[in-house]
Amino acid sequence: MARSNSPPHPSMSLPKSIDAVKKIFDADRRNPVDREVAAKHLGYSGKSGASDKALAALAHFGLTEKVGKGEVRVSQLAMDIMHPDPTDARSKDRALLEAGMKPQLYKELQAQFPDQVSEGTLESYLLRIGFVDAALSPAKSAYLETLRFLEQSKVFESGGSEGLLEPESGLQDKDAGDEMQDEAVLDRPTVKPPVPAAKPMETNETEWMRNPLGRGKAVRVLVTGSMGGKEIGKLIKLLEAQKAILDDDDEDFEDLR
């Protein structure tokens, strides 16, 4: 049987989603609101397929969160974008990058194509991972527009790229009409254990990706064999486990100070 649903994804880009969540905030601040009321704040006459997709996009980016049955509210992450901390010059950049890379699909695409990617290559990849024709163009346009927005906002240059490889901290339903994201918390301890020196590549290894992690920091991933969605999922789990170990080490170090 042919697949009728595409993988979970935002139907509109991050900048459009930020404009949308501003309308909800202007009308109801951070109060819990019924999804139908939220849809009307966005300009829809009520709940519909189109309004569900719009609200789902806000949830994908972590700009709204589910607070009750059929209710949502503006998230703290959205507040950090719309009204950033005036005492922290980089708070908005971090929030923008966190929101932009929060959708699971975007994490996968960023890992698969860390540098520039053509529309044709992106479209081919989306088809391979199960996108139906009707969702292909909106998903592709939303991703590329989000990347352009992040580049124009210079969040990568400001050091906000430290959040690129952090594991997702929220929950994300696969039902496009009832998406939810928990508030994400950035945890960047001051002291980190020393990083072992990188060894040279072996003959059967290839460099799969290379990304900056901030000023004077970078990551390079060497692989043997091919990398697909299944392997990327395992890599994410390994990174989450490693982060938990490092966080425990940092807490032990603070206890000794």
Side-chain angles (χ1 to χ4, degrees):
M1 181 180 296
R3 180 171 182 162
S4 59
N5 293 320
S6 300
H9 64 282
S11 61
M12 60 184 181
S13 65
L14 177 60
K16 291 178 180 177
S17 296
I18 293 173
D19 289 340
V21 80
K22 285 179 179 177
K23 295 177 181 179
I24 298 177
F25 178 77
D26 289 344
D28 270 307
R29 292 302 192 256
R30 294 198 65 203
N31 297 314
V33 296
D34 184 81
R35 289 177 62 85
E36 184 171 0
V37 174
K40 291 180 179 179
H41 290 336
L42 298 185
Y44 298 95
S45 58
K47 289 188 64 176
S48 64
S51 69
D52 282 346
K53 288 182 180 180
L55 291 173
L58 303 189
H60 271 296
F61 289 118
L63 301 178
T64 59
E65 58 191 10
K66 186 176 179 181
V67 292
K69 187 174 181 180
E71 289 186 325
V72 297
R73 72 174 179 182
V74 175
S75 70
Q76 183 58 50
L77 181 60
M79 293 299 297
D80 291 341
I81 294 173
M82 296 185 294
H83 302 285
D85 183 354
T87 65
D88 185 351
R90 291 174 50 200
S91 64
K92 183 175 181 178
D93 290 342
R94 288 197 302 268
L96 282 173
L97 188 56
E98 181 181 346
M101 290 295 107
K102 185 170 283 291
Q104 189 59 40
L105 174 66
Y106 287 16
K107 287 188 175 79
E108 181 178 340
L109 292 175
Q110 184 67 21
Q112 188 72 20
F113 308 109
D115 299 315
Q116 183 175 342
V117 58
S118 69
E119 289 193 30
T121 297
L122 179 60
E123 183 172 317
S124 177
Y125 182 81
L126 293 176
L127 285 170
R128 287 202 308 274
I129 63 175
F131 270 80
V132 298
D133 291 340
L136 189 61
S137 182
K140 179 182 65 175
S141 298
Y143 176 69
L144 294 176
E145 187 175 331
T146 296
L147 283 188
R148 285 193 296 268
F149 173 72
L150 293 176
E151 290 170 357
Q152 291 168 0
S153 301
K154 301 186 184 300
V155 297
F156 298 105
E157 299 175 14
S158 68
S161 55
E162 292 176 11
L164 267 178
L165 294 181
E166 288 194 359
E168 183 175 336
S169 60
L171 299 176
Q172 193 164 332
D173 292 345
K174 291 186 177 181
D175 181 1
D178 194 20
E179 301 270 349
M180 69 173 280
Q181 290 278 1
D182 288 344
E183 293 182 13
V185 179
L186 292 176
D187 182 14
R188 294 184 173 84
T190 303
V191 180
K192 286 291 183 184
V195 179
K199 67 176 184 178
M201 285 192 297
E202 299 178 1
T203 55
N204 61 338
E205 289 179 332
T206 58
E207 182 177 302
W208 178 62
M209 64 174 289
R210 183 191 297 241
N211 271 86
L213 295 180
R215 183 174 299 176
K217 303 175 185 177
V219 62
R220 185 170 64 124
V221 179
L222 306 178
V223 302
T224 57
S226 60
M227 288 289 287
K230 182 177 180 181
E231 289 76 18
I232 292 172
K234 290 181 178 179
L235 177 60
I236 291 173
K237 290 181 179 178
L238 288 172
L239 291 173
E240 289 174 343
Q242 184 62 30
K243 181 178 183 296
I245 293 172
L246 292 176
D247 286 346
D248 287 342
D249 290 343
D250 288 331
E251 291 175 2
D252 293 341
F253 181 84
E254 290 297 325
D255 290 340
L256 294 174
R257 294 185 65 179

